[in-house]
């Protein structure tokens, strides 16, 4: 898919124009207290960094800034400062995972498996460019390759 040329500068977008997708957000859980604190700070005039969205020609996919976005909704504002990047839903999902990755939050093998499965197996036809599918590599080596590729981005 080709994407429209997008200027990577900041712009204000209507909240209603931004698509929220729970599968894109990499947070295990939403922290309501953070949304409340952000909303209160916004009411008092605090400035926040722009949220990051990916635009695929049809949708603006929210990739980073979920708590800020929800705080804006909570205080009934109509728009938010946004950094728009060209890309797909998958690009937004991968960006979100990388932006919010905190290795200390991933403890068990099951959590690691769920984390990588969420990123890599999107159910879409897009190539999994970070997965080495070589039959000569052990499962462990493939996992190490994935982790190395993600860290180097």
């Amino acid at each position: 898919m080709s994407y429209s040329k997008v200027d990577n500068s900041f712009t204000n977008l209507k909240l209603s124009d931004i698509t929220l997708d729970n599968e894109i957000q990499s947070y295990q859980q939403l922290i309501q207290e953070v949304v409340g604190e952000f909303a209160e700070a916004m009411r008092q005039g605090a400035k926040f960094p722009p949220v990051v969205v990916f635009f695929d020609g049809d949708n603006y996919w929210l990739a980073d800034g979920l708590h800020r976005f929800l705080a804006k909704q909570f205080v009934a504002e109509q728009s938010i400062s946004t950094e728009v990047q060209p890309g797909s839903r998958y690009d937004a999902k991968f960006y979100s995972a990388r932006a919010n990755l905190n290795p200390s939050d991933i403890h068990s093998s099951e959590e690691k498996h769920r984390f990588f499965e969420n990123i890599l197996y999107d159910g879409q036809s897009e190539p999994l460019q970070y997965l080495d599918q070589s039959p000569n590599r052990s499962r462990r080596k493939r996992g190490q390759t994935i982790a190395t590729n993600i860290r180097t981005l």
Side-chain angles (χ1 to χ4, degrees):
M1 171 183 267
S2 71
Y3 306 109
S4 304
K5 183 168 175 63
V6 177
D7 180 10
N8 283 7
S9 61
F10 304 138
T11 188
N12 280 332
L13 285 179
K14 291 181 187 176
L15 296 176
S16 61
D17 289 342
I18 298 173
T19 304
L20 289 181
D21 184 328
N22 289 336
E23 288 186 12
I24 291 175
Q25 303 307 316
S26 57
Y27 289 106
Q28 293 286 347
Q29 61 184 18
L30 178 69
I31 304 171
Q32 290 294 340
E33 294 81 28
V34 172
V35 174
E37 289 173 14
F38 285 4
E40 183 57 34
M42 287 174 184
R43 281 189 195 107
Q44 295 176 8
K47 300 293 182 198
F48 285 81
V51 299
V52 177
V53 300
F54 282 76
F55 183 63
D56 64 7
D58 293 317
N59 296 296
Y60 291 97
W61 300 102
L62 182 65
D64 189 35
L66 176 63
H67 290 91
R68 286 170 275 157
F69 180 89
L70 294 174
K72 285 281 191 176
Q73 283 184 326
F74 188 78
V75 298
E77 291 195 25
Q78 302 299 311
S79 64
I80 191 167
S81 178
T82 309
E83 178 184 337
V84 179
Q85 297 188 18
S88 67
R89 176 184 176 276
Y90 181 79
D91 294 323
K93 184 176 183 177
F94 193 80
Y95 182 96
S96 176
R98 190 162 188 287
N100 296 299
L101 176 63
N102 184 354
S104 65
D105 291 342
I106 302 176
H107 300 288
S108 70
S109 293
E110 182 181 321
E111 288 173 324
K112 290 175 188 171
H113 176 77
R114 188 173 49 240
F115 174 79
F116 284 109
E117 187 175 70
N118 183 43
I119 295 172
L120 298 173
Y121 303 105
D122 194 37
Q124 308 245 341
S125 60
E126 300 194 39
L128 302 177
Q129 60 188 349
Y130 302 101
L131 178 59
D132 181 352
Q133 293 283 8
S134 169
N136 297 326
R137 294 184 63 90
S138 70
R139 188 176 200 186
R140 180 176 177 191
K141 285 288 187 187
R142 284 194 302 263
Q144 289 170 348
T145 301
I146 295 165
T148 300
N149 286 336
I150 290 172
R151 279 193 299 270
T152 60
L153 292 177

